[in-house]
C-alpha cells in the first residue's frame, strides 16, 4: 500500500508539473512547478527506497520548503496588509524549523544506534511543528484571499491543509508511539495522491496562473488515472477474495476479474455513457463547452475531404455541422419553389415535409436558429414553422445557411445521444458554421453554373467556327456562280467549278458532323506532307473564285494533312476577300531556318501594326463587314497544334503576307 500510494502521488504530481511547464512565467507558477516536481521526487523515494530512509527525509524537507515558498508567493500578492511583516517572520520561522529537521536527519546518519530513537523523536517533533505552523499559514492564506479570488483558488488552501494535516498525523503518531506508523504512512501516500486533482482544478480555475492543457491531454490523463484506479481496485479486491475464499479463491478471483472487466467494457462501449461522460467533463473541467480549435479542424477536414470515395459535398456539409454539436444525424433543406424541400441526408431516415414561403422568409430575415424544444422568442417563428415539423421526434435544431444575406438552405439536426437544451455556445458555433457552409454551397452552385455556361460557350464557339466556314463556302459558291455566267463555256472553268462544288459538299458534310454535341475529332499524329502539292490542291479549288499562283520548292513538313489544308483554306479565303478583283494571290513554299515556310501574299489594303498586335488573332474581331474574325485565329490554333507558328507582315495600302512555319520532315515518301 505504501508503494502504490506514493507511486501514484509521484505520477500525478509529475503530470501536473509537466502540464504547466509551458503555461506561463509568473512567480506562483514557477514555485508551484518546483513544489510539484519535488513532491513527485519525494513520492518516488518513499515508494522505491522507503519512507524512513535519509534520502526520503531530505526530499521531504525540500518538498516542505517548496510548498512554503508557494504559499508565500500567493500571500505576498497583498503587500499592503498591516500584518504582512509579521507573516513574513512566521514563514521564516517555519522554514527554519523544516531546515533544522533536515539537518537533524543528516545528523542521525552518523550517530550510534543507541541515540537513533532520540534523533527520530526530535525530528518527529520538528516535523510536527512544521505541520502546525504550515496549517496556521494556510488558515491565514484562506482569510487573506478576497471573495472574488477565493472563487478561483479556493481549493488551494483545502489541498494544502490536507497535505500538512497528513504529515502532522504521521509525525504525531511517530512521536507518541513506539514504532513507525506504517498504516498512517500508507494512508498519507493515498491521501496526497488524491490531493493532486485538487491542485489541478485550482490551477485550472485561477485566472492568474491558469493551467491550459488540451482536451485530448486532459481526457487521456483522466483515462490513465481511471485505469490505474481500476488496477488498484482489482488488486485490493482479489486480495480480499484470497483472504476469504479459501481453497476456491483462485476460481472466484478469476470469475470476479473476468466478469467485472467484461461488464465495465460493455458499459463503456455504450454511446449514451460516452456522450454523458463528454458532456460532464466538458461542463465541469473547462470554461467552454467546445474545444474550438479541434472542432474547427475536424469541421474543415470533413468539408474538404479529398478522394473519389468521399461523400458528396452536400452530405459532407450536413455531417460537418452535425459533428460540431454531437448530433447523430441531419438533413439539408434546399430551396424548392417558394419553400424548402429535402436535399442531401446524413444518417437521417425520417421524411421531412416541404414548407411554404413563410419559413425561408423568416430564416433569411432574422438568421435565427430554431430550437424545437424551446418556446419561440419571435411570434413569426411560431407562424413560419410547420406544425408537422414540431411533431418530428428527431428534430432538435434548424440552422439557416446565409450567404451575403441570402438563404442558400438550412440544416435540420437530430437530437444528440444525451438530450440537452442548446445554449449560447451552441448557437454561436452553429451560426458561424452555417455561414461557412453556406459559402461552400454558394461556391459549388457557382461552379456548376460556370460549368454549364462553359458547355454553352463551347457549343457557341463551335457553332461560330462552323458559321464562319459556312460563310466562306457561301462566298466561294457565290463567286463561282457569278463567274459561271461569263465562263460557263470554258472547259477548264467547268472542271474547276465541279471540283469546287464537290469540295463544298464534302466540307458541308463535315461541318454538320462538327456541329454535333458529341463530335470530338481525335488529333491526328503529324506525318510527312508534301506541302506544295497540298497547296496546289487547295488553290485549285479556289481558282474559280480568284487567280492564285503556287510557287516554290517541293518541301516535306511534319503536319496533319487535314489540319494544314484547313489552315491554308482560311488564309486563302482571307486573302481573296482582302484582294481587289483580278489581283493575283501568291502562295510560296520554301525553307527557312530548318523549317518549312508557306507564305500567302495578297495585294489588299493591308493592316496596321497595332491591329496585328492587339486584334488580328482574337476571335470575333474583324474589320470586314459581317466578318466573324475567326480565320486568322483558327489558322494560328491549327499551326500551333502541329508544332508550328504563324507570322504576319503587312503594310497599309500595300498588302499582307501570312507566313506559316512548320517542322521539317525527313526525306520520306509524303502522305500527299
Amino acid at each position: 500500500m505504501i508503494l502504490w500510494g506514493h507511486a501514484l502521488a509521484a505520477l500525478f504530481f509529475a503530470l501536473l508539473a509537466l502540464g504547466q511547464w509551458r503555461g506561463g512565467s509568473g512567480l506562483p507558477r514557477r514555485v508551484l512547478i518546483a513544489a510539484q516536481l519535488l513532491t513527485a521526487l519525494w513520492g518516488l523515494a518513499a515508494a522505491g527506497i522507503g519512507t524512513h530512509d535519509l534520502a526520503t527525509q531530505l526530499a521531504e524537507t525540500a518538498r516542505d520548503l517548496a510548498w512554503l515558498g508557494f504559499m508565500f508567493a500567493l500571500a505576498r500578492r497583498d503587500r499592503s496588509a498591516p500584518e504582512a511583516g509579521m507573516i513574513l517572520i512566521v514563514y521564516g520561522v517555519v522554514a527554519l524549523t523544516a531546515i533544522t529537521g533536515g539537518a537533524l536527519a543528516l545528523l542521525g546518519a552518523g550517530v550510534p544506534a543507541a541515540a537513533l530513537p532520540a534523533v527520530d523523536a526530535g525530528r518527529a517533533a520538528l516535523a510536527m511543528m512544521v505541520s502546525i505552523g504550515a496549517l496556521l499559514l494556510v488558515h491565514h492564506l484562506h482569510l487573506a484571499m478576497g471573495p472574488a479570488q477565493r472563487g478561483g483558488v479556493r481549493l488551494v488552501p483545502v489541498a494544502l491543509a490536507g497535505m500538512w494535516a497528513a504529515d502532522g498525523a504521521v509525525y504525531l503518531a511517530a512521536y507518541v508511539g513506539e514504532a513507525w506508523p506504517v498504516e498512517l504512512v500508507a494512508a498519507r501516500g493515498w491521501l496526497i495522491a488524491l490531493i493532486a486533482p485538487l491542485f489541478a482544478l485550482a490551477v485550472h480555475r485561477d485566472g492568474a496562473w491558469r493551467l491550459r492543457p488540451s482536451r485530448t491531454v486532459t481526457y487521456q490523463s483522466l483515462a490513465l488515472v481511471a485505469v490505474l484506479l481500476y488496477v488498484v481496485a482489482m488488486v485490493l479486491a482479489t486480495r480480499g477474495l484470497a483472504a476469504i475464499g479459501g481453497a476456491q479463491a483462485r476460481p472466484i478471483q478469476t470469475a470476479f476479474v473476468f466478469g467485472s472487466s467484461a461488464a465495465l467494457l460493455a458499459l463503456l462501449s455504450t454511446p449514451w455513457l460516452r456522450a454523458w461522460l463528454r458532456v460532464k467533463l466538458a461542463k465541469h473541467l473547462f470554461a467552454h463547452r467546445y474545444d474550438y480549435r479541434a472542432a474547427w479542424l475536424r469541421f474543415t477536414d470533413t468539408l474538404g475531404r479529398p478522394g473519389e470515395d468521399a461523400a458528396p459535398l452536400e452530405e459532407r456539409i450536413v455531417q460537418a455541422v452535425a459533428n460540431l454539436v454531437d448530433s447523430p444525424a441531419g438533413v439539408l433543406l434546399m430551396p424548392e419553389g417558394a419553400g424548402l424541400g429535402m436535399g442531401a441526408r446524413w444518417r437521417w431516415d425520417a421524411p421531412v415535409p416541404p414548407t411554404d414561403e413563410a419559413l425561408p422568409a423568416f430564416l433569411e430575415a432574422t438568421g435565427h436558429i430554431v430550437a424545437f424544444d424551446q418556446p419561440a422568442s419571435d411570434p413569426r417563428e411560431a407562424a413560419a414553422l410547420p406544425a408537422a415539423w414540431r411533431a418530428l421526434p428527431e428534430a432538435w435544431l434548424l440552422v439557416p445557411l446565409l450567404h451575403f444575406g441570402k438563404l442558400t438552405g438550412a440544416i435540420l439536426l437530430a437530437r444528440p445521444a444525451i438530450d440537452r437544451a442548446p445554449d449560447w455556445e451552441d448557437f454561436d458555433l452553429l451560426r458561424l458554421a452555417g455561414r461557412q457552409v453556406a459559402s461552400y454551397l454558394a461556391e459549388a452552385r457557382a461552379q456548376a453554373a460556370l460549368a454549364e455556361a462553359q458547355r454553352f460557350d463551347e457549343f457557341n464557339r463551335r457553332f461560330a467556327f462552323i458559321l464562319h466556314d459556312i460563310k466562306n463556302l457561301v462566298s466561294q459558291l457565290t463567286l463561282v456562280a457569278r463567274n459561271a455566267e461569263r465562263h460557263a463555256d470554258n472547259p477548264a472553268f467547268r472542271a474547276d467549278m465541279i471540283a469546287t462544288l464537290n469540295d463544298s459538299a464534302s466540307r458541308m458534310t463535315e461541318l454538320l458532323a462538327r456541329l454535333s454535341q458529341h463530335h470530338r475529332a481525335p488529333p491526328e499524329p503529324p506525318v510527312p506532307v508534301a506541302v506544295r502539292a497540298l497547296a496546289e490542291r487547295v488553290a485549285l479549288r479556289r481558282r474559280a473564285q480568284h487567280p492564285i499562283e503556287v510557287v516554290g520548292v517541293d518541301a516535306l513538313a511534319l503536319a496533319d494533312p487535314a489540319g494544314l489544308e484547313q489552315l491554308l483554306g482560311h488564309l486563302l479565303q482571307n486573302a481573296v476577300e482582302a484582294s481587289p478583283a483580278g489581283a493575283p494571290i501568291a502562295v510560296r513554299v520554301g525553307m527557312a531556318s530548318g523549317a518549312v515556310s508557306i507564305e500567302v501574299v495578297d495585294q489588299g489594303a493591308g493592316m496596321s501594326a497595332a491591329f496585328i498586335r492587339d486584334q488580328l488573332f482574337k476571335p470575333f474581331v474583324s474589320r470586314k463587314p459581317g466578318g466573324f474574325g475567326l480565320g486568322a485565329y483558327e489558322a494560328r490554333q491549327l499551326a500551333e497544334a502541329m508544332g508550328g507558328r504563324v507570322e504576319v507582315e503587312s503594310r497599309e495600302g500595300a498588302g499582307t503576307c501570312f507566313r506559316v512555319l512548320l517542322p521539317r520532315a525527313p526525306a520520306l515518301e509524303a502522305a500527299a
Side-chain angles (χ1 to χ4, degrees):
M1 295 297 293
I2 293 176
L3 171 64
W4 276 99
H6 288 81
L8 286 177
L11 174 63
F12 293 165
F13 276 99
L15 290 176
L16 285 177
L18 293 176
Q20 299 172 73
W21 191 263
R22 298 181 180 179
S25 58
L27 180 61
R29 181 184 295 273
R30 291 198 297 264
V31 182
L32 175 64
I33 293 174
Q36 289 171 343
L37 288 175
L38 289 172
T39 304
L41 180 63
W42 164 79
L44 286 176
I49 303 175
T51 57
H52 208 53
D53 190 81
L54 174 61
T56 306
Q57 293 175 358
L58 294 178
E60 184 176 352
T61 300
R63 181 208 69 176
D64 293 344
L65 291 173
W67 283 114
L68 288 172
F70 170 66
M71 292 166 57
F72 177 70
L74 290 180
R76 70 188 289 271
R77 292 179 176 183
D78 188 10
R79 300 181 182 180
S80 60
E83 69 276 7
M86 184 63 67
I87 291 300
L88 178 60
I89 296 175
V90 175
Y91 272 102
V93 171
V94 176
L96 184 60
T97 306
I99 294 173
T100 305
L104 193 58
L106 282 173
L107 181 63
V111 300
L116 280 179
V119 173
D120 290 340
R123 185 180 178 280
L126 291 174
M128 264 196 311
M129 294 173 61
V130 170
S131 300
I132 294 172
L135 286 172
L136 293 175
L137 292 173
V138 168
H139 178 67
H140 169 266
L141 183 63
H142 176 72
L143 295 178
M145 293 179 179
Q149 194 177 20
R150 287 179 189 172
V153 293
R154 59 187 175 184
L155 294 178
V156 170
V158 176
L160 291 172
M163 185 181 66
W164 295 119
D167 286 348
V170 168
Y171 287 110
L172 176 62
Y175 183 76
V176 300
E178 297 181 355
W180 184 244
V182 179
E183 293 81 2
L184 284 178
V185 171
R188 180 181 64 168
W190 286 98
L191 179 61
I192 292 180
L194 295 177
I195 283 173
L198 294 180
F199 280 108
L201 291 175
V203 170
H204 170 71
R205 294 179 179 179
D206 181 52
W209 37 280
R210 177 173 295 172
L211 175 67
R212 291 183 176 88
S214 67
R215 299 196 179 209
T216 302
V217 171
T218 302
Y219 292 152
Q220 291 176 352
S221 300
L222 291 176
L224 177 61
V225 171
V227 169
L228 291 175
L229 292 177
Y230 173 76
V231 171
V232 172
M234 288 295 100
V235 170
L236 295 177
T238 52
R239 287 189 177 182
L241 291 173
I244 64 176
Q248 302 298 323
R250 180 58 62 87
I252 295 175
Q253 288 175 329
T254 303
F256 174 77
V257 172
F258 179 80
S260 59
S261 300
L264 183 61
L265 289 176
L267 190 63
L268 291 177
S269 64
T270 306
W272 179 89
L273 180 62
R274 294 201 304 270
W276 181 83
L277 287 174
R278 284 197 301 269
V279 170
K280 293 301 180 182
L281 292 175
K283 180 178 180 181
H284 296 290
L285 289 183
F286 300 99
H288 298 285
R289 179 189 300 275
Y290 298 106
D291 183 354
Y292 290 99
R293 175 182 174 276
W296 204 251
L297 286 175
R298 183 175 63 168
F299 175 78
T300 53
D301 180 66
T302 304
L303 284 180
R305 184 180 302 146
E308 297 181 356
D309 57 341
L313 174 64
E314 294 183 352
E315 183 178 338
R316 298 201 309 271
I317 283 175
V318 180
Q319 179 184 358
V321 175
N323 285 339
L324 286 176
V325 291
D326 294 327
S327 174
V331 59
L332 178 64
L333 305 171
M334 303 294 289
E336 185 176 292
L340 295 174
M342 285 189 66
R345 295 179 291 179
W346 179 68
R347 299 180 181 175
W348 183 287
D349 299 324
V352 178
T355 71
D356 56 16
E357 67 277 4
L359 182 59
F362 167 74
L363 295 176
E364 184 171 293
T366 63
H368 182 66
I369 297 177
V370 179
F372 285 77
D373 294 337
Q374 296 179 0
S377 58
D378 192 325
R380 293 176 295 174
E381 177 186 329
L385 196 64
W389 283 29
R390 290 283 186 187
L392 289 174
E394 304 91 348
W396 183 47
L397 292 173
L398 179 64
V399 183
L401 309 181
L402 297 176
H403 184 64
F404 292 114
K406 298 295 183 181
L407 186 72
T408 61
I411 295 179
L412 183 61
L413 297 177
R415 300 179 182 277
I418 300 297
D419 197 2
R420 59 180 177 84
D423 56 14
W424 64 270
E425 281 196 80
D426 297 310
F427 291 136
D428 284 351
L429 184 60
L430 289 175
R431 191 174 292 110
L432 181 61
R435 293 175 183 172
Q436 183 72 10
V437 299
S439 67
Y440 273 81
L441 273 179
E443 182 181 355
R445 293 175 185 174
Q447 290 288 344
L450 179 61
E452 184 177 357
Q454 287 175 341
R455 288 194 296 270
F456 275 105
D457 183 67
E458 179 188 355
F459 179 80
N460 291 337
R461 282 178 175 270
R462 188 185 307 131
F463 188 79
F465 284 114
I466 292 172
L467 196 60
H468 170 266
D469 290 343
I470 290 175
K471 182 185 74 68
N472 291 342
L473 289 174
V474 170
S475 300
Q476 179 178 335
L477 293 175
T478 301
L479 288 175
V480 169
R482 186 180 305 162
N483 291 330
E485 297 175 356
R486 294 179 295 173
H487 306 289
D489 296 334
N490 188 342
F493 174 79
R494 288 199 300 268
D496 290 342
M497 183 178 65
I498 293 172
T500 301
L501 292 176
N502 288 332
D503 177 66
S504 299
S506 62
R507 289 180 63 187
M508 286 182 180
T509 303
E510 180 186 352
L511 291 178
L512 290 175
R514 288 170 58 191
L515 190 60
S516 170
Q517 180 180 359
H518 304 288
H519 175 73
R520 295 289 187 274
E524 295 291 338
V527 296
V529 176
V531 176
R532 180 169 178 176
L534 187 145
E536 288 281 3
R537 289 201 307 268
V538 176
L540 178 63
R541 291 194 294 264
R542 282 171 171 75
R543 285 199 177 104
Q545 300 175 258
H546 200 89
I548 302 174
E549 299 177 358
V550 179
V551 297
V553 299
D554 295 329
L556 292 177
L558 281 177
D560 172 20
L564 181 56
E565 185 173 344
Q566 187 177 1
L567 184 156
L568 289 177
H570 285 312
L571 296 183
L572 284 174
Q573 184 63 36
N574 286 347
V576 168
E577 293 177 353
S579 299
I585 298 171
V587 179
R588 304 168 184 165
V589 180
M591 305 297 295
S593 302
V596 177
S597 170
I598 310 170
E599 294 181 350
V600 179
V601 184
D602 64 59
Q603 301 177 29
M607 297 174 288
S608 66
F611 181 84
I612 295 174
R613 182 184 64 249
D614 300 329
Q615 300 183 26
L616 175 62
F617 293 107
K618 286 187 176 180
F620 311 112
V621 176
S622 176
R623 296 193 308 173
K624 296 177 293 186
F628 289 90
L630 294 174
Y633 170 78
E634 190 169 13
R636 187 170 70 171
Q637 295 292 107
L638 290 168
E640 291 177 350
M642 292 182 284
R645 66 182 188 275
V646 175
E647 298 176 350
V648 183
E649 294 179 3
S650 182
R651 287 190 303 167
E652 291 184 286
T656 302
C657 173
F658 278 88
R659 182 180 298 107
V660 181
L661 298 174
L662 296 174
R664 185 178 180 181
L668 298 174
E669 183 179 354

